[in-house]
Amino acid sequence: MKRFVFALIMSVLALQGCETRFELKGMSEDPKIYVYGIAGMSDTTSFRVCKTVPVSGMSDPSASREVSSIELTVDGKAVTLTKADADTPGVPKGYWWTAEDIPGGSEVVLRASADGAEDVSSVFHMPEEIPAFEVIYTSAPAFKFTFKDDGSTEDCYAIMVYGECTRVKDGDATVYVRACDPYEPDEDFGMETRKDYLDVDINDGTARLWSDAEFNGQEVSLSLEVWTYFDGIHNSKYDEVKERYKAVIYRLSPEFFKYAEAQNHLDNNMLAEIGLAPASFAYTNVTNGLGLFAGVAVAETEWFEYK
């Protein structure tokens, strides 16, 4: 016991004899160029490109956040870009957009410059069409997609389900459509489902996302069960209520999964917030800048009636 106490005292004294100095560097106020866009979501590709604003010490709050030059190429060919204004339909004001086709497998490169910021660039390869798939629907409601993954590429896949409800009262029909929230994996709905997923926000709802790292080149089944769209108590006030559901499946370039995985760590690393774990870091595929530039191929099922 005496030996233990003596060793403990010596350890404490040794620690007291050490001195460590840390120099904390403040956040840089130098602007960066921020990029965010996912090409292929619709027939119009739109994305945001702007300069960041420092959170403190900014000398001129009215300083422009706009870039001075921007270039988009597809397999080395320049694509015409237009900046959206308040009258541009379907594209937020200030976004850049093009209606030109971006074929699957093509190399897409974005470059941008802005005063006071480093030039940035970002590159990805546009995903090919989603492989031929078999879909099974149950009235959970749930969807199961089975297909063979392309082993020559690195991809990730996401599924989102939309619900439509038609309510009839005194001959007048009202139709509602919205994205449905994913349900936690449950074997009770009769479909085996992979647990290695992330739930991410895409467009106007939440999708379930998988990387093909564990099934590259193999046949795979991806399933998603969602909460039913409407509350039966409210439905009881109508003469007739009909529900139906469809699923949208996305094949995304691998940069999207890396971005989503990093964001998931940031959102859920509670121990880092109290200093008990290393801090998480954001992912970007924008060289010298911030954000995400990626591509997607999209397919959807027919509508299935809910019973």
Side-chain angles (χ1 to χ4, degrees):
M1 183 65 181
K2 290 182 179 180
R3 290 183 180 178
F4 175 76
V5 172
F6 177 76
L8 181 61
I9 293 173
M10 293 301 294
S11 298
V12 172
L13 292 174
L15 288 173
Q16 290 179 338
C18 297
E19 183 178 295
T20 303
R21 295 185 179 182
F22 296 92
E23 293 184 6
L24 299 179
K25 183 180 179 181
M27 295 179 64
S28 173
E29 296 181 4
D30 295 334
K32 294 276 189 182
I33 296 178
Y34 170 79
V35 177
Y36 188 85
I38 302 175
M41 280 292 189
S42 68
D43 54 2
T44 299
T45 295
S46 62
F47 48 90
R48 183 72 168 122
V49 183
C50 62
K51 284 198 301 184
T52 59
V53 175
V55 295
S56 64
M58 187 169 62
S59 57
D60 184 8
S62 63
S64 173
R65 298 181 60 200
E66 301 304 318
V67 295
S68 54
S69 67
I70 186 169
E71 178 189 47
L72 182 69
T73 62
V74 176
D75 284 338
K77 180 183 177 182
V79 172
T80 301
L81 294 175
T82 305
K83 191 173 184 180
D85 56 26
D87 297 323
T88 305
V91 181
K93 180 181 178 180
Y95 278 54
W96 294 88
W97 65 275
T98 180
E100 294 188 32
D101 182 49
I102 302 180
S106 58
E107 182 184 67
V108 183
V109 181
L110 173 70
R111 297 181 178 87
S113 302
D115 295 339
E118 290 186 272
D119 295 351
V120 302
S121 63
S122 185
V123 58
F124 69 86
H125 286 84
M126 192 69 179
E128 299 282 1
E129 291 185 0
I130 296 170
F133 57 82
E134 176 189 25
V135 62
I136 297 175
Y137 166 79
T138 71
S139 289
F143 288 85
K144 177 180 180 179
F145 290 85
T146 301
F147 58 90
K148 183 173 175 148
D149 176 62
D150 183 354
S152 65
T153 61
E154 182 183 352
D155 302 293
C156 60
Y157 299 90
I159 301 174
M160 182 183 291
V161 173
Y162 288 87
E164 178 190 87
C165 183
T166 301
R167 291 168 167 169
V168 181
K169 180 70 173 179
D170 299 328
D172 294 327
T174 306
V175 180
Y176 303 88
V177 179
R178 73 171 188 185
C180 301
D181 293 328
Y183 197 79
E184 291 300 315
D186 186 348
E187 301 299 336
D188 292 341
F189 68 100
M191 297 180 181
E192 295 182 1
T193 185
R194 300 184 64 91
K195 304 298 193 296
D196 50 345
Y197 68 85
L198 294 173
D199 284 344
V200 298
D201 292 334
I202 296 180
N203 283 351
D204 52 355
T206 301
R208 186 147 289 171
L209 177 71
W210 296 265
S211 167
D212 74 349
E214 298 298 324
F215 54 81
N216 187 260
Q218 304 174 27
E219 182 174 281
V220 64
S221 293
L222 303 178
S223 303
L224 177 61
E225 180 182 12
V226 297
W227 292 96
T228 52
Y229 193 123
F230 295 100
D231 187 338
I233 296 176
H234 292 98
N235 288 346
S236 63
K237 298 186 294 185
Y238 295 88
D239 300 328
E240 183 182 10
V241 177
K242 293 182 179 180
E243 294 180 33
R244 60 179 189 166
Y245 295 85
K246 74 173 180 179
V248 179
I249 182 169
Y250 304 88
R251 179 181 182 179
L252 296 123
S253 55
E255 295 82 9
F256 184 87
F257 187 86
K258 294 173 184 176
Y259 182 87
E261 187 176 41
Q263 190 61 47
N264 181 68
H265 288 315
L266 282 170
D267 293 341
N268 296 286
N269 192 359
M270 293 180 291
L271 291 178
E273 296 178 5
I274 57 176
L276 297 179
S280 300
F281 295 92
Y283 169 84
T284 180
N285 69 327
V286 181
T287 303
N288 297 328
L290 303 169
L292 170 71
F293 193 46
V296 63
V298 184
E300 62 182 54
T301 70
E302 60 181 308
W303 287 99
F304 291 87
E305 298 293 331
Y306 178 73
K307 298 179 181 180

